[in-house]
């Protein structure tokens, strides 16, 4: 395998059932360079990278490595040319352990006893990024953030000459992202090249040398990141100004919606991962839970939405006890849920878009008559939904799996918010959304709050938490390290609390305690 | 009494041998994600091929080799339909059963009622077979028995402790993710189905050149279907298949023993399927993930599908 010095994609076309996903795209990267690939949801970024990785064949166009035309007819061919990829939707085998997942694609994996022989190297490799994951856990036991770390390790172990990163940091914590970027910077110094897709413009600005911007399948511009600021990047991407900060007017607390009392929940391995958590969420309030993935927030959310057994304690919604009730009952009580893994838990990928638009709500009067679905009304509702939430799709009569990642997310959010729940439980709601859609979504959450809804927001994105939440709880190893008001001065130290420091005693003039 | 017991256990192991061979083959195929309902047909082809070749050459080992090759070849039909054409695996598997049974009946017609002069006999293992009790039961068996057990253990080792095993299992769990890791999913599936066919054909050969030494149409007698049930009963684990195969083999023996007592053989023939349902029920109630069924079993895979 020769080292890749330059890679060019020339005049690439690709359409799906009449959708032009890529329309005459040109792109070039050279070694020692990090190229950002920007574009709104559905612009065709993933499609383009899948062509480069051999998952799709372009309708027309060519790919050149070091000036020579090459054909990439399968992921294997692409790997053989020294290309590695972190996929937007995790390409992991749920029933296998982390080791088995990494061994599968590792070029130097031993033929015999790979599980035993690779453990040590995987552990030390992941320590380089400060990723701590249990290599013997099965992937389905991991949270989205942990899965993302596995996905990254998988792509990096082979030391690819060209690394494609399709939204690699969407569910990482800021600290993890920083560590990961240090590794990328080192790779750049070693002469590797990287294509990075991200909707987090700060990241793009920080690490990329150049950006290429796509809109509706076409290249709308190239730029050097040095000369651009976040605002101009956003403008280039979506063609209008984006507001990055919100005014969240103060609201007085109304009656209690969610009441969690001393709840304990077991994890997938059978031992407790939520250890006695109590809190309340009120009307007109957005309550945030911040924490590093894997500290029990997933299990807590699943317990509240009825997907997981509560072993101890009570959960009440509007004073109705819903502890260990069925998810449907809980949903009917007024709880909506935006799950952290959209493909696995948020949609039924093979169903049509209009069917997915009413999941969990199909039995409501407005969508059904006795045993029959009222398709007319369902479709009208869906059309309204995709208009309000700007879901980019050629039609509502396509299988939902064919939407781009961000558009699937918009659909889920639209479905859950349009239901006007008393309590909206949202995990990483802006995961994979472009800046325009993020802005819209945050406005929607604030609107829900203003209308009297309560929102429980779980996120590793601290900016999002700070911007939206009235109160923030920090979770660590299944316990709350503290609940802070948004004007609490200790909030600046939230990073420390996420790492397990309890109750920083700053605040009332005790700043010197460190 | 002692003699009877030894003979019952011995016959149980003999009856379980073809079940074990077939099941291990089916496990390999299903672990790669391809459901092969053609086992019954492939077994019949194996049986008839082994018989014919042995009949003409006088060498049963040659017969066995020919049977394996025939089984692999005819399984390729199913591999082609389900992997390359992505057709419905249930339909294609049933077609394979029909095809196999038909071909075997046709080829075997001239040989009905002509017993072989030579067959593969029990092969006592020196020293071990002299151990009282254990010796005659476990170490004075047909080579098919030893092969079946060794192949089961070997397959377990392959699936659980080798890279190839991880590739096969990954293919059955998530072909798309597996392919993005540079594994040739089609090839893994072809190989698994073909290997599985070879195992089934061996099971058939056992029936015609070791268990008996004649060919009768329909001599597989539904064993191919028991294999399908057994694969589930064993929860896709070759080690559990060993236990399951001999358990079900015992039912075969009981069928003959209990018949004089007035217990319907149909009732006993039903037991393997009942046992399988029970395992699924009990296992599924506890934790369906523990059932271990390959996640993408029988799902056609096409590259580029989202
Ligand atoms: N296999 C497919 N079948 C049909 N349509 C597809 C398929 N793959 C992609 N598309 C369509 O192509 C367009 C581009 O999708 P793509 O996933 O490349 O967007 P993206 O830029 O990665 O967006 P996001 O930021 O949301 O991930 C979308 O409109 C999508 O619906
Ligand atoms: Mg994408």
């Amino acid at each position: 395998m020769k080292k890749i010095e330059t890679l060019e994609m020339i005049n690439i076309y690709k359409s799906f059932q009449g959708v032009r996903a890529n329309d005459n795209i040109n792109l070039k990267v050279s070694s020692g360079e990090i190229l950002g690939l920007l574009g709104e949801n559905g612009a065709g970024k993933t499609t383009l990278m899948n062509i480069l990785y051999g998952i799709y064949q372009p309708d027309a166009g060519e790919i050149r490595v070091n000036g020579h035309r090459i054909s990439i007819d399968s992921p294997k061919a692409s790997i053989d040319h020294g290309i590695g990829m972190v996929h937007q939707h995790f390409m992991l085998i749920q029933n296998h352990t982390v080791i088995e997942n990494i061994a599968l694609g590792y070029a130097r994996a031993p033929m015999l006893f790979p599980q035993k022989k690779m453990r040590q190297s995987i552990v030390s490799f992941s320590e380089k990024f400060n990723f701590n994951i249990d290599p013997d856990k099965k992937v389905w036991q991991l949270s989205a953030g942990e899965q993302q770390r596995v996905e990254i390790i998988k792509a990096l172990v082979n030391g690819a000459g060209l690394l494609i990163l399709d939204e690699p940091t969407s569910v990482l914590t800021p600290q993890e992202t920083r560590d990961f970027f240090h590794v990328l910077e080192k790779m750049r110094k070693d002469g590797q090249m990287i294509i990075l897709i991200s909707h987090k413009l700060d990241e793009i600005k920080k690490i990329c040398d150049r950006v290429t911007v796509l809109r509706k399948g076409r290249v709308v511009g190239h730029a050097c990141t040095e000369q651009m600021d976040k605002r101009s990047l956003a403008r280039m991407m979506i063609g209008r100004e984006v507001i990055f900060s919100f005014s969240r007017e103060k609201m007085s607390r109304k009656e209690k919606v969610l009441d969690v009392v001393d709840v304990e929940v077991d994890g997938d391995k059978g031992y407790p991962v939520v250890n006695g958590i109590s809190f309340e969420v009120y009307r007109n309030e957005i309550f945030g839970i911040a924490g590093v993935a894997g500290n029990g927030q997933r299990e807590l959310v699943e317990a509240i939405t009825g997907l997981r057994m509560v072993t101890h304690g009570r959960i009440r919604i509007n004073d109705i006890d819903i502890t260990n009730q069925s998810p449907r009952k809980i949903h009917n009580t007024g709880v909506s849920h935006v799950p952290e893994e959209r493909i696995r838990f948020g949609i039924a990928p093979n169903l049509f878009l209009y069917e997915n638009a009413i999941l969990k709500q199909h039995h409501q009067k407005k969508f059904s008559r006795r045993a029959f679905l009222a398709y007319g009304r369902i479709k009208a509702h869906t059309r309204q939904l995709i208009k309000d939430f700007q879901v980019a799709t050629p039609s509502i009569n396509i299988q939902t799996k064919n939407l781009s990642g961000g558009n699937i997310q918009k659909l889920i959010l639209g479905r859950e918010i349009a239901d006007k729940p008393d309590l909206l439980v949202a995990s990483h709601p802006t995961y994979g959304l472009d800046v325009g859609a993020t802005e819209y979504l945050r406005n929607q959450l604030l609107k829900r709050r203003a209308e009297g809804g309560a929102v429980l927001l779980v996120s590793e994105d601290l900016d999002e938490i700070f911007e939206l939440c009235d109160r923030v709880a920090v979770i660590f190893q299944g316990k709350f390290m503290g609940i802070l008001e948004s004007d609490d001065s200790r909030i600046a130290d939230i990073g420390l609390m996420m790492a397990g420091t309890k109750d920083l005693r700053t605040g009332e003039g005790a700043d010197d305690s460190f | 009494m002692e003699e009877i017991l030894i003979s019952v256990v011995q016959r149980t192991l003999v009856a379980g041998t073809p079940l074990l061979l077939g099941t291990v083959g089916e496990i390999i195929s299903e672990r790669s994600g391809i459901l092969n309902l053609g086992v019954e047909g492939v077994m019949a082809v194996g049986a008839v091929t082994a018989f014919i070749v042995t009949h003409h050459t006088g060498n049963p080992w040659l017969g066995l080799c020919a049977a394996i090759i025939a089984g692999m070849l005819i399984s390729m039909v199913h591999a082609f339909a389900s992997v390359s054409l992505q057709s419905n695996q249930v339909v294609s598997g049933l077609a394979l059963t029909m095809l196999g049974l038909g071909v075997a009946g046709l080829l075997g017609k001239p040989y009905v009622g002509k017993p072989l002069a030579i067959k593969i006999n029990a092969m006592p293992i020196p020293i071990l077979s002299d151990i009282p009790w254990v010796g005659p039961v476990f170490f004075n068996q047909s080579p098919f028995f030893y092969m079946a057990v060794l192949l089961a253990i070997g397959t377990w080792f392959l699936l659980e402790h080798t890279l190839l095993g991880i590739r096969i299992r990954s293919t059955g769990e998530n072909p798309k993710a597996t392919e993005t890791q540079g594994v040739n999913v089609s090839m893994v599936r072809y190989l698994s189905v073909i290997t599985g066919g070879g195992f089934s054909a061996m099971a058939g050969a056992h029936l015609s050149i070791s268990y008996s030494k004649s060919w009768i149409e329909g001599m597989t007698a539904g064993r191919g279907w028991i294999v399908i049930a057994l694969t589930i009963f064993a929860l896709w684990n070759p080690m559990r298949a060993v236990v399951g195969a001999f358990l079900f083999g015992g039912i075969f023996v009981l069928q003959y023993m209990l018949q004089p007592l007035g217990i319907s053989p149909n009732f006993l023939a039903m037991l393997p399927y009942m046992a399988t349902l029970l395992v699924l029920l009990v296992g599924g109630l506890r934790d369906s993930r523990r059932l271990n069924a390959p996640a993408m079993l029988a799902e056609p895979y096409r590259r580029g599908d989202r």
Side-chain angles (χ1 to χ4, degrees):
Chain A
M1 184 179 87
K2 275 232 321 277
K3 202 174 163 322
I4 310 184
E5 295 289 339
T6 61
L7 179 123
E8 290 162 278
M9 297 183 82
I10 299 168
N11 303 337
I12 302 281
Y13 288 87
K14 177 79 187 174
S15 37
F16 299 100
Q17 302 130 30
V19 186
R20 287 231 163 147
N22 286 167
D23 191 354
N24 193 14
I25 291 188
N26 289 283
L27 173 152
K28 184 174 177 186
V29 234
S30 344
S31 82
E33 193 178 43
I34 301 182
L35 173 73
L37 190 57
L38 285 184
E40 42 186 354
N41 295 130
K45 307 176 296 291
T46 300
T47 304
L48 186 66
M49 291 301 108
N50 280 346
I51 289 173
L52 184 52
Y53 196 63
I55 296 175
Y56 294 149
Q57 293 304 303
D59 298 336
E62 62 182 68
I63 298 171
R64 290 193 194 155
V65 166
N66 304 339
H68 301 288
R69 182 178 182 156
I70 57 164
S71 91
I72 297 184
D73 57 5
S74 69
K76 173 112 181 57
S78 159
I79 292 169
D80 290 344
H81 280 104
I83 300 174
M85 179 159 175
V86 169
H87 300 267
Q88 180 179 9
H89 297 132
F90 310 137
M91 292 289 186
L92 296 171
I93 288 139
Q94 297 287 333
N95 277 334
H96 284 186
T97 61
V98 171
I99 302 189
E100 288 171 331
N101 267 282
I102 295 173
L104 180 62
Y106 182 46
R108 288 183 298 277
M111 295 306 285
L112 293 179
F113 301 110
Q115 291 97 327
K116 272 191 205 128
K117 291 186 188 157
M118 282 182 63
R119 168 176 293 101
Q120 195 43 49
S121 52
I122 289 171
V123 169
S124 50
F125 196 85
S126 48
E127 269 163 11
K128 272 211 300 213
F129 308 89
N130 288 324
F131 285 173
N132 87 66
I133 32 174
D134 178 351
D136 295 309
K137 262 200 183 166
K138 301 243 162 116
V139 169
W140 61 265
Q141 298 172 322
L142 304 179
S143 68
E146 292 170 297
Q147 292 186 33
Q148 191 151 51
R149 297 174 221 166
V150 179
E151 186 75 21
I152 289 172
I153 293 175
K154 226 174 61 171
L156 293 188
V157 278
N158 280 328
L162 165 62
L163 193 59
I164 304 168
L165 304 168
D166 195 349
E167 304 189 21
T169 60
S170 50
V171 279
L172 293 188
T173 58
Q175 183 56 44
E176 285 172 333
T177 305
R178 259 197 302 278
D179 292 337
F180 175 53
F181 280 3
H182 282 311
V183 177
L184 295 187
E185 267 157 13
K186 190 166 163 298
M187 289 170 68
R188 164 163 61 190
K189 254 192 232 116
D190 297 343
Q192 280 160 289
M193 53 177 110
I194 296 165
I195 301 179
L196 173 69
I197 298 177
S198 174
H199 291 296
K200 300 182 182 172
L201 297 179
D202 294 319
E203 289 181 359
I204 295 278
K205 172 116 187 66
K206 204 166 100 204
I207 196 164
C208 295
D209 304 296
R210 290 187 303 119
V211 291
T212 292
V213 183
L214 304 185
R215 197 189 310 158
K216 302 211 160 76
R218 292 164 179 271
V219 176
V220 292
H222 302 276
C224 281
T225 33
E226 298 231 311
Q227 300 142 14
M228 305 287 285
D229 63 5
K230 203 168 136 182
R231 221 162 265 284
S232 42
L233 283 175
R235 195 178 328 112
M236 223 169 143
M237 232 171 96
I238 59 177
R240 64 172 171 89
E241 288 294 332
V242 179
I243 308 156
F244 284 101
S245 57
F246 299 88
S247 55
R248 177 165 47 83
E249 80 271 33
K250 205 136 173 78
M251 278 187 164
S252 59
R253 223 173 256 168
K254 294 269 174 53
E255 60 271 33
K256 210 186 310 182
V257 176
L258 173 70
D259 188 7
V260 174
V261 186
D262 200 20
V263 158
E264 288 174 17
V265 182
D266 282 350
D268 289 323
K269 282 207 160 167
Y271 52 79
V273 290
V274 176
N275 307 308
I277 281 185
S278 302
F279 65 100
E280 298 98 43
V281 186
Y282 298 88
R283 289 194 182 280
N284 304 83
E285 182 181 51
I286 300 183
F287 186 93
I289 297 182
V292 179
N295 276 299
Q297 54 271 68
R298 176 168 78 118
E299 288 81 1
L300 177 62
V301 162
E302 287 177 353
I304 293 173
T305 50
L307 300 172
R308 189 177 283 271
M309 283 288 282
V310 177
T311 51
H312 180 264
R314 303 265 82 165
I315 301 174
R316 275 184 282 268
I317 301 284
N318 293 332
D319 280 329
I320 304 168
D321 193 328
I322 53 140
T323 319
N324 291 333
Q325 297 285 352
S326 74
R328 170 146 169 184
K329 179 110 189 278
I330 293 175
H331 178 260
N332 290 347
T333 324
V335 180
S336 278
H337 180 204
V338 178
E340 63 172 13
E341 281 179 74
R342 56 187 168 217
I343 301 286
R344 275 177 69 214
F345 298 113
I347 57 165
N350 288 323
L351 293 190
F352 290 113
L353 205 156
Y354 61 83
E355 292 169 315
N356 270 294
I358 56 152
L359 286 188
K360 295 189 291 180
Q361 300 160 22
H362 58 274
H363 59 284
Q364 292 173 4
K365 272 238 160 51
K366 53 184 171 178
F367 300 129
S368 60
R369 251 177 271 117
R370 296 206 179 79
F372 299 98
L373 289 172
Y375 278 107
R377 268 177 276 161
I378 290 173
K379 289 190 177 176
H381 170 79
T382 309
R383 284 201 192 88
Q384 190 58 42
L385 202 79
I386 64 176
K387 204 168 125 239
D388 290 348
F389 282 79
Q390 292 128 34
V391 181
T393 170
S395 119
I396 60 169
N397 298 311
I398 64 166
Q399 289 186 320
T400 311
K401 64 180 175 184
N402 287 335
L403 292 184
S404 82
N407 283 306
I408 291 177
Q409 185 71 9
K410 290 188 205 169
L411 177 73
I412 297 172
L413 289 163
R415 178 182 74 208
E416 302 301 329
I417 293 176
D419 205 23
K420 297 211 186 306
D422 287 337
L423 175 70
L424 176 68
V425 182
S427 299
H428 311 294
T430 54
Y431 158 25
L433 294 188
D434 65 41
V435 280
T438 302
E439 173 197 23
Y440 180 76
L441 171 82
R442 291 185 179 168
N443 278 324
Q444 286 297 314
L445 291 182
L446 290 172
K447 186 165 151 230
R448 194 68 225 129
R449 164 179 177 264
E451 288 168 358
V455 179
L456 179 63
L457 178 74
V458 179
S459 181
E460 301 190 11
D461 184 344
L462 290 181
D463 293 337
E464 182 161 292
I465 295 246
F466 289 151
E467 228 150 62
L468 295 174
C469 295
D470 301 293
R471 288 187 298 150
V472 184
V474 182
I475 193 169
F476 179 73
Q477 294 184 346
K479 286 208 166 87
F480 279 171
M481 293 285 105
I483 299 178
L484 310 176
E485 301 279 336
S486 61
D487 51 9
D488 194 313
S489 60
R490 293 174 295 171
I491 207 142
D493 292 323
I494 216 166
L496 285 174
M497 294 175 80
M498 281 165 73
T501 314
K502 202 160 183 175
D503 257 346
L504 299 163
R505 245 179 298 277
T506 43
E508 256 67 89
D511 284 317
D512 48 5
S513 56
F514 274 83
Chain B
M1 187 62 211
E2 194 180 309
E3 240 108 89
I4 298 179
L5 204 66
I6 288 183
S7 120
V8 166
V9 177
Q10 207 170 19
R11 275 158 58 203
T12 296
L13 297 188
V14 173
T17 298
L19 299 182
L20 180 56
L21 282 167
T23 305
V24 172
E26 184 68 12
I27 287 176
I28 298 176
S29 172
E30 291 196 11
R31 271 302 180 86
S32 82
I34 304 289
L35 175 70
N36 185 355
L37 294 183
V39 180
E40 180 84 1
V42 179
M43 267 191 188
V45 167
V48 83
T49 312
F51 185 87
I52 295 175
V53 172
T54 309
H55 187 88
H56 288 291
T57 62
N59 184 344
W61 293 101
L62 219 55
L64 174 62
C65 292
I68 294 175
I69 292 169
M72 289 176 148
L73 286 177
I74 199 159
S75 300
M76 265 159 82
V77 175
H78 182 60
F80 181 72
S82 47
V83 182
S84 300
L85 303 182
Q86 293 123 21
S87 61
N88 183 315
Q89 295 172 17
V90 173
V91 174
S92 152
L94 289 177
L96 182 61
T97 289
M98 303 295 170
L99 178 71
L101 288 175
V103 167
L106 191 70
L107 293 178
K109 196 118 237 160
Y111 300 91
V112 174
K114 295 184 190 164
L116 287 177
I118 179 173
K119 66 167 191 161
I120 295 183
N121 282 313
M123 197 170 82
I125 294 186
I127 306 172
L128 289 180
S129 60
D130 296 333
I131 307 174
W133 288 87
V134 179
V137 172
F138 291 102
F139 299 109
N140 188 10
Q141 288 280 3
S142 142
F144 278 95
F145 170 78
Y146 308 132
M147 283 190 288
V149 173
L150 290 179
L151 283 171
I153 296 172
T155 302
W156 170 80
F157 183 82
L158 175 90
L159 287 175
E160 298 300 327
H161 293 292
T162 70
L163 192 58
L164 182 60
I166 293 182
R167 292 194 176 139
I168 293 175
R169 286 188 284 131
S170 301
T171 303
E173 289 289 336
N174 188 343
K176 188 170 156 195
T178 308
E179 182 144 59
T180 63
Q181 293 299 90
V183 176
N184 188 335
V185 165
S186 301
M187 184 140 92
V188 169
R189 289 191 155 176
Y190 260 95
L191 286 180
S192 304
V193 174
I194 291 173
T195 311
F199 278 62
S200 294
M202 259 175 104
H206 172 260
L207 295 176
S208 67
I209 61 173
S210 175
Y211 186 61
S212 74
K213 46 180 180 173
S214 54
W215 161 257
I216 319 161
E217 196 174 342
M219 75 187 300
T220 47
R223 285 184 178 82
W225 299 113
I226 296 190
V227 161
I228 307 285
L230 201 52
T231 304
I232 303 168
F233 180 85
L235 302 180
W236 294 271
N237 177 338
M239 287 311 224
R240 252 176 271 164
V242 177
V243 180
F246 294 124
L247 208 66
F248 287 16
I251 295 177
F252 263 76
V253 176
L254 276 182
Q255 261 177 46
Y256 294 106
M257 290 183 39
L258 297 184
Q259 222 161 328
L261 302 182
I263 295 179
S264 159
N266 292 335
F267 173 76
L268 288 161
M270 185 183 81
L271 284 182
Y273 303 103
M274 290 272 287
T276 304
L277 281 178
L278 214 67
V279 164
L280 284 183
L281 202 71
V282 173
L285 282 181
R286 276 176 54 214
D287 179 0
S288 60
R289 263 186 252 258
R290 296 270 268 289
L291 287 182
N292 235 355
M296 285 299 171
L297 182 61
E299 292 283 336
Y301 166 70
R302 193 179 299 123
R303 183 187 303 148
D305 272 1
R306 279 222 173 182

